[in-house]
Amino acid sequence: MSSCHPYAVISAQRLLPVLRNADADEAVRQAAALLAAGCRAVELTTSTPGWAEAVTRTVPLSDAHGRRAVIGVGTVTTTGQAEAALEAGAAFLVSPYPAPEVREVAGRRAAVFIEGGFTPGEIASAARSAGAAKVFPAHVGGPRFIRSLKAVLPEALIIPTGGIRPGDVHDWLAAGASAVGIGDGLPADPAELAAVFAQLARPCCADCADRPDRPGRADGAADRTVAEPRP
């Protein structure tokens, strides 16, 4: 299995689904559908009841190409949430705004943390700390705001999230976003969903580029691509 860094996976995927579900079972089903469609990195959120259970159940899954899923946890704002997410197996943490408590946990446990912010100072602080920052709520500033941020933070991995429609993703990428967080609006039809990732995603490394597709994985026939929802 490839052990690509979450930043590499997210940047290559270019669209990061952010899931807010009614319960853990629904979160697992939606994450599994995304993985089967060609997505590899998925962000679950602490706003979902039973989110830690959902993380534990999705972490062992693989994507449509047989690569280990990269499951992150968003809306992480406290020490307890950060510790619980990492114990559940999260590959990365995301906050919607500056969260010193989470930054401390991430530093102590050598975890990947994408800290949120909106002002240039907040975003610069997050990027200088960990190399990445979430811009939220991104729709307030628009793609031109991202372009201005990249002019002074050219090496930062910037992930705008909030109020972005799937049809506008290319505008944000063209402005300099490394990837775009999408909370809703992705197609439910499996073929249409697969087309979205096929159009946007690129291999994150030579190992992933050389990995052959595995037909038939979307039905869960091999390597546990799709979770089996509990009765």
Side-chain angles (χ1 to χ4, degrees):
M1 291 289 181
S2 172
S3 58
C4 306
H5 192 282
Y7 286 178
V9 175
I10 294 169
S11 296
Q13 187 169 289
R14 304 209 285 176
L15 188 159
L16 178 62
V18 181
L19 307 188
R20 300 182 185 281
N21 303 100
D23 54 40
D25 284 345
E26 182 180 300
V28 173
R29 282 193 293 268
Q30 189 174 1
L34 287 162
L35 294 169
C39 177
R40 185 182 179 191
V42 180
E43 179 185 330
L44 307 184
T45 56
T46 64
S47 58
T48 296
W51 63 269
E53 176 195 342
V55 174
T56 300
R57 291 167 59 189
T58 52
V59 163
L61 304 183
S62 300
D63 72 357
H65 305 287
R67 301 168 301 186
R68 186 71 170 263
V70 179
I71 304 298
V73 178
T75 320
V76 177
T77 59
T78 68
T79 297
Q81 290 173 338
E83 296 281 8
L86 295 176
E87 290 300 321
F92 61 96
L93 309 175
V94 187
S95 71
Y97 48 74
E101 301 95 333
V102 181
R103 187 186 288 196
E104 189 278 328
V105 173
R108 173 164 44 83
R109 299 191 56 169
V112 176
F113 176 38
I114 303 172
E115 191 168 12
F118 183 74
T119 69
E122 292 172 344
I123 296 162
S125 176
R128 288 169 182 161
S129 172
K134 170 180 176 175
V135 178
F136 178 83
H139 68 91
V140 176
R144 292 179 63 185
F145 183 48
I146 302 302
R147 194 180 302 277
S148 296
L149 290 171
K150 288 294 288 187
V152 295
L153 296 168
E155 303 301 321
L157 189 153
I158 301 293
I159 305 176
T161 307
I164 300 176
R165 297 171 296 184
D168 296 332
V169 168
H170 285 289
D171 293 337
W172 292 85
L173 295 173
S178 299
V180 178
I182 297 288
D184 52 38
L186 290 173
D189 178 78
E192 293 180 11
L193 187 61
V196 170
F197 289 101
Q199 180 187 48
L200 289 172
R202 305 166 297 185
C204 64
C205 64
D207 181 58
C208 289
D210 293 339
R211 192 175 187 89
D213 289 353
R214 296 191 178 181
R217 294 182 52 79
D219 62 3
D223 290 346
R224 295 190 63 212
T225 298
V226 178
E228 297 180 4
R230 300 188 310 183

